[in-house]
Amino acid sequence: MLVFVTVGSTRFDALVEASISEPVLCTLRDSGYNRLILQRGNSVIESEEFNRESCTIQRHGVDIEIWRFKPSIQCECEKADLVISHAGSGTVLDVLRLGKSLIVVPNSTLLDNHQEELASALQILGHLKATSIQDLASTIASFEPRDLVPFPPFDGTKFSKLVDEEMGFI
């Protein structure tokens, strides 16, 4: 099974390092995941072997592919059995609309903690599981995708109705 980890376009060193740590990799392996694709963005990894534009390695029984950026991560999200992500709104909504199992780790180093607010709200609704860097391995171990509530499909009519109401058209 495949896990895709993405940090988006910013830097989230802690999530990148946690994703390739022994506790997380062993938990992934023990949960049946044998492949990890890691989009590291601008993050810096302590181990020099990972700091090239892209690399492939095997650790703790998991095949790991790491790269910085691609024009789109749609393909990786579609192929993944589990997505672990920062809690950026674009990524979160894209993954949920694909119907994928999602664990988010808000990047608390960002201004105004908007990722934490989004992650918390969507977790309360049951659409995803939010966790911290420290609890990532235990969250993966206890994660039950079947307990997630499917994200509702996009309905553009609601937005257009809101705009029409605001403009006084209806």
Side-chain angles (χ1 to χ4, degrees):
M1 290 196 312
L2 172 65
V3 177
F4 177 53
V5 178
T6 178
V7 300
S9 60
T10 61
R11 230 179 123 164
F12 196 178
D13 297 357
L15 179 54
V16 169
E17 290 287 349
S19 298
I20 57 174
S21 70
E22 181 177 356
V24 168
L25 290 173
C26 289
T27 301
L28 287 171
R29 181 198 63 221
D30 294 346
S31 299
Y33 298 97
N34 58 358
R35 277 190 67 212
L36 168 70
I37 298 176
L38 172 59
Q39 181 269 320
R40 70 179 182 95
N42 289 315
S43 300
V44 176
I45 304 174
E46 285 185 23
S47 176
E48 282 300 313
E49 66 186 320
F50 294 119
N51 274 317
R52 299 184 298 262
E53 278 301 308
S54 65
C55 72
T56 304
I57 194 165
Q58 211 246 17
R59 268 189 168 178
H60 306 290
V62 178
D63 295 323
I64 307 166
E65 175 186 336
I66 302 175
W67 39 266
R68 291 172 54 109
F69 296 106
K70 286 188 177 180
S72 172
I73 61 171
Q74 178 86 17
C75 182
E76 285 76 12
C77 289
E78 289 173 352
K79 290 190 296 188
D81 298 292
L82 170 64
V83 177
I84 300 173
S85 175
H86 67 122
S89 59
T91 302
V92 167
L93 292 175
D94 287 346
V95 172
L96 291 176
R97 285 184 180 137
L98 287 172
K100 294 297 178 171
S101 299
L102 178 61
I103 296 174
V104 295
V105 183
N107 187 345
S108 60
T109 65
L110 298 178
L111 190 63
D112 76 26
N113 217 12
H114 64 281
Q115 288 195 4
E116 183 67 48
E117 292 171 1
L118 177 65
S120 178
L122 290 171
Q123 179 171 254
I124 289 168
L125 293 171
H127 299 306
L128 54 75
K129 183 69 178 162
T131 192
S132 63
I133 294 295
Q134 299 83 355
D135 294 332
L136 182 56
S138 63
T139 299
I140 294 166
S142 65
F143 185 63
E144 288 293 342
R146 67 178 176 268
D147 293 340
L148 295 176
V149 175
F151 194 68
F154 177 71
D155 180 2
T157 62
K158 291 179 181 179
F159 179 73
S160 63
K161 184 177 183 223
L162 176 68
V163 171
D164 287 348
E165 286 175 0
E166 284 298 312
M167 298 299 294
F169 298 143
I170 56 172

